[in-house]
């Protein structure tokens, strides 16, 4: 006997079911984004930026030991996969008696990553400022620290907005790796919903849409920031 | 007020200063001239330690420094020397992220710890003095080269230095903008500001200098009043340099 032909009505109910799942998932995914993905990205980026500036200054300093430590740190972090680093922190450290909350473990992992990659951006930006600016600052009596804080870093910040925005957008997407250490952000939420609805294509596409939405907002913010900082540059 | 003795400076194998002695009196305008590569800019940059000499000594009022190869000058001494000197650069080097007013306030607020109000009043007065009172809120890129250089002079004056150093202040300017900058420097000379000026503007040098130093190849070839150096020198190399300049006019 042939299987019964699916009626038009059956197809309709299948579509309805998918639409219903899609709509029902919007709010949980959005909440996961706002309450978990974005805080993780923001905290990691803020801490990572501080670490990046310290690392860049250490590499530019004339002191040997800080310089070596900074180079070693950048070498290790850039040369190993972020996912492996997260596993070491979250699943590996408990063996050494250090048990971390998923959020804390993720923040540590992403901060170290942002700090290493962005330190190169900050270093390049500082080096791109003309040496006449240092000399002008020195000529009015500023120390190195004062010159850096008042004259060099504000100008370096302007130069580094586009590449740092890139880093931040990458970071927002990389936070999906935190799903693998049980941190329930957008992607992990999508996995959970998939487990009960068996709609992987739908849910993962929906999760992707949320990343696209968040990253688009960030790109727009980058433009605003660049325009604001542009008032003093000739170009 | 400033005494320099036997100053030496090398960059790698290149000897730029080969034993320079000079004295600048309080209120004096000293102009340093000489062919390109004669070491005049390096000499000027030694006055505020943007270059650290290898050998010799430098004294400014109560600060006395002796230089030895590889020797380090304590940071505190460097800073206090720099607070008593002001410098105007060939390429202005204004802070592009600050307005004209901000540029002139910066040293006062950050280094001298004056209140913003006090610094602002002083900065506005100085901008007025260089003829740019109406440009206080303008950013450097919106100003002409001559205007930028006048802001730079106001910035250097703002920290009330004992001496102002000028490194070819008009070399980067369009010819029609040179006059407005020279006028400001002449005004300062009349007011008794102590100044050391490296320049290629011979007419200006003759006009403003109390004393002219002619450098060549890392040494002082000739020094004296403008008349002595520009008109009465017998030194063949000095004559050669001066003739070449007058040939250009």
């Amino acid at each position: 006997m042939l299987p019964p032909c699916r009626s038009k009505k059956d197809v309709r109910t299948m579509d309805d079911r998918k639409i219903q799942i899609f709509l029902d998932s919007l709010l949980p995914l959005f909440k996961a984004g706002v309450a978990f993905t974005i805080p993780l990205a923001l905290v990691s980026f803020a801490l990572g930026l501080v670490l990046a500036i310290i690392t860049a200054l250490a590499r530019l300093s004339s002191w040997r030991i800080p310089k070596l430590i900074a180079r070693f740190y950048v070498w290790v972090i850039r040369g190993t996969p972020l996912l492996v680093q997260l596993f070491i922190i979250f699943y590996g450290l408990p063996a050494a008696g250090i048990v971390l909350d998923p959020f804390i473990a993720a923040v540590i992992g992403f901060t170290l990553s942002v700090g290493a990659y962005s330190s190169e951006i900050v270093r390049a930006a500082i080096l791109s400022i003309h040496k006449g600016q240092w000399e002008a600052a020195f000529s009015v009596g500023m120390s190195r620290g004062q010159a850096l804080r008042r004259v060099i870093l504000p100008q370096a910040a302007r130069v580094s907005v586009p590449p740092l925005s890139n880093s931040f957008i990458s970071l927002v997407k990389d936070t999906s790796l935190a799903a693998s250490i049980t941190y329930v952000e957008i992607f992990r939420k999508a996995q959970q919903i998939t487990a009960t609805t068996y709609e992987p294509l739908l849910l993962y596409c929906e999760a992707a849409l949320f990343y696209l939405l968040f990253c688009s907002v960030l790109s727009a913010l980058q433009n605003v920031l660049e325009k604001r900082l542009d008032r003093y540059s000739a170009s | 007020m400033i005494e320099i003795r036997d100053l030496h400076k090398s960059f790698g194998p290149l000897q730029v200063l080969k034993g320079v002695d000079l004295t600048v009196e309080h209120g004096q305008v000293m102009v340093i001239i000489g062919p390109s590569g004669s070491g005049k800019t390096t000499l000027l940059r030694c006055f505020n330690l943007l270059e650290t000499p290898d050998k010799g000594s430098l004294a400014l009022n109560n600060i006395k420094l002796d230089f030895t190869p590889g020797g380090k000058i304590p940071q505190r001494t460097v800073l206090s020397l720099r607070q008593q000197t002001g410098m105007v650069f060939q390429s202005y080097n204004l802070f592009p992220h600050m307005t004209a007013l901000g540029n002139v306030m910066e040293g006062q607020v950050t280094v001298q710890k004056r209140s913003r109000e006090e610094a602002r009043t002083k900065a506005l007065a100085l901008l007025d003095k260089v003829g740019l009172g109406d440009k206080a809120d303008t950013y450097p890129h919106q100003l002409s080269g001559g205007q930028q250089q006048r802001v730079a002079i106001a910035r250097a004056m703002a920290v009330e230095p004992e001496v102002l150093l000028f490194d070819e202040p008009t070399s980067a300017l369009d010819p029609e903008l040179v006059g407005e900058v020279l006028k400001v420097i002449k005004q300062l000379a009349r007011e008794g500001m102590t100044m050391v000026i490296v320049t290629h503007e011979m007419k200006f040098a003759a006009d403003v200098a109390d004393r002219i130093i002619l450098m060549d190849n890392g040494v002082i070839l000739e020094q004296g009043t403008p008349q002595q150096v520009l008109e009465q020198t017998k030194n063949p190399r000095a004559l050669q340099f001066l003739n070449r300049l007058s040939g250009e006019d």
Side-chain angles (χ1 to χ4, degrees), chain B residues 65-89:
Chain B
L65 298 172
D66 285 306
F67 305 103
T68 49
K72 280 222 186 259
I73 307 297
Q75 183 68 4
R76 190 179 301 175
T77 314
V78 173
L79 293 183
S80 69
L81 181 81
R82 284 181 183 155
Q83 281 171 34
Q84 297 190 39
T85 57
M87 187 172 238
V88 175
F89 299 86

Side-chain angles (χ1 to χ4, degrees), chain B residues 5-195:
Chain B
R5 290 289 163 259
D6 194 32
L7 212 63
H8 285 71
K9 174 70 184 173
S10 301
F11 295 109
L14 185 70
Q15 265 198 301
V16 182
L17 298 178
K18 302 172 186 168
V20 173
D21 297 83
L22 62 81
T23 306
V24 186
E25 303 293 346
H26 187 81
Q28 197 176 53
V29 178
M30 173 175 281
V31 172
I32 306 176
I33 59 173
S36 306
S38 58
K40 51 193 193 303
T41 287
T42 304
L43 174 61
L44 190 78
R45 289 163 60 88
C46 287
F47 278 77
N48 63 351
L49 299 181
L50 286 183
E51 305 292 352
T52 310
D54 303 325
K55 204 182 134 193
S57 69
L58 164 71
L60 192 157
N61 290 342
N62 52 350
I63 303 175
K64 290 180 175 47
L65 298 172
D66 285 306
F67 305 103
T68 49
K72 280 222 186 259
I73 307 297
Q75 183 68 4
R76 190 179 301 175
T77 314
V78 173
L79 293 183
S80 69
L81 181 81
R82 284 181 183 155
Q83 281 171 34
Q84 297 190 39
T85 57
M87 187 172 238
V88 175
F89 299 86
Q90 184 176 351
S91 47
Y92 335 131
N93 296 352
L94 289 180
F95 305 133
H97 56 304
M98 298 177 192
T99 59
L101 183 70
N103 268 277
V104 185
M105 284 173 64
E106 185 56 36
Q108 304 183 62
V109 174
T110 304
V111 180
Q112 299 188 318
K113 312 290 181 201
R114 289 190 191 139
S115 72
R116 293 198 70 81
E117 215 30 66
E118 198 187 341
R120 198 187 146 80
T121 310
K122 178 151 183 84
L124 283 173
L126 281 167
L127 284 174
D128 255 338
K129 189 180 168 115
V130 298
L132 293 170
D134 56 332
K135 301 284 186 190
D137 297 321
T138 313
Y139 283 92
H141 77 269
Q142 298 166 308
L143 296 171
S144 73
Q147 290 171 331
Q148 288 190 51
Q149 195 60 301
R150 286 187 279 153
V151 173
I153 294 173
R155 175 177 70 180
M157 296 279 295
V159 291
E160 291 167 351
E162 294 284 313
V163 56
L164 269 187
L165 311 169
F166 292 83
D167 183 12
E168 304 192 23
T170 59
S171 296
L173 292 174
D174 290 337
E176 75 270 22
L177 301 177
V178 170
E180 62 187 70
V181 172
L182 295 186
K183 205 177 114 198
V184 169
I185 300 175
K186 277 184 199 162
Q187 172 67 28
L188 293 176
R190 271 198 298 279
E191 289 169 11
M193 186 77 209
T194 312
M195 297 192 277

Side-chain angles (χ1 to χ4, degrees), chain A residues 180-202:
Chain A
S180 63
I181 58 167
T182 76
Y183 185 68
V184 189
E185 40 64 72
I186 297 177
F187 184 52
R188 183 141 185 121
K189 195 74 199 173
Q191 286 177 320
Q192 289 176 348
I193 300 173
T194 304
T196 57
T197 60
Y198 307 108
E199 289 290 353
L201 180 63
L202 182 71

Side-chain angles (χ1 to χ4, degrees), chain A residues 119-146:
Chain A
S119 73
E120 291 293 280
I121 295 172
V122 174
R123 191 169 70 100
I126 291 174
L127 288 174
S128 77
I129 305 304
H130 192 266
K131 93 179 198 312
Q133 290 292 312
W134 284 102
E135 292 183 348
F138 290 155
S139 79
V140 296
M142 285 192 209
S143 65
R144 267 190 85 77
Q146 288 170 330

Side-chain angles (χ1 to χ4, degrees), chain A residues 38-172:
Chain A
I38 290 178
L40 175 59
L42 278 179
V43 172
S44 305
F45 193 69
L47 294 177
L49 210 51
V50 174
L51 186 59
I53 292 172
I54 294 170
T55 307
L57 293 179
R59 287 201 62 180
L60 291 170
S61 84
S62 44
W63 297 322
R64 274 215 10 220
I65 303 295
K67 211 171 174 153
L68 272 174
I69 294 173
R71 286 185 65 164
F72 178 78
Y73 156 61
V74 173
W75 174 63
V76 169
I77 299 296
R78 286 207 305 188
T80 53
L82 180 50
L83 186 59
V84 175
Q85 294 164 13
L86 289 173
F87 269 56
I88 292 173
I89 296 167
F90 186 70
Y91 296 115
L93 287 185
I98 305 171
V99 182
L100 296 167
D101 171 78
F103 177 72
I104 303 294
V107 165
I108 293 173
F110 291 121
T111 297
L112 288 174
S113 166
V114 170
Y117 284 95
S118 300
S119 73
E120 291 293 280
I121 295 172
V122 174
R123 191 169 70 100
I126 291 174
L127 288 174
S128 77
I129 305 304
H130 192 266
K131 93 179 198 312
Q133 290 292 312
W134 284 102
E135 292 183 348
F138 290 155
S139 79
V140 296
M142 285 192 209
S143 65
R144 267 190 85 77
Q146 288 170 330
L148 195 67
R149 209 173 61 248
R150 300 288 309 166
V151 176
I152 304 301
L153 284 183
Q155 294 182 62
R158 169 68 190 84
V159 180
S160 50
V161 165
L164 284 179
S165 301
N166 247 345
S167 297
F168 188 46
I169 288 170
S170 283
L171 173 67
V172 168

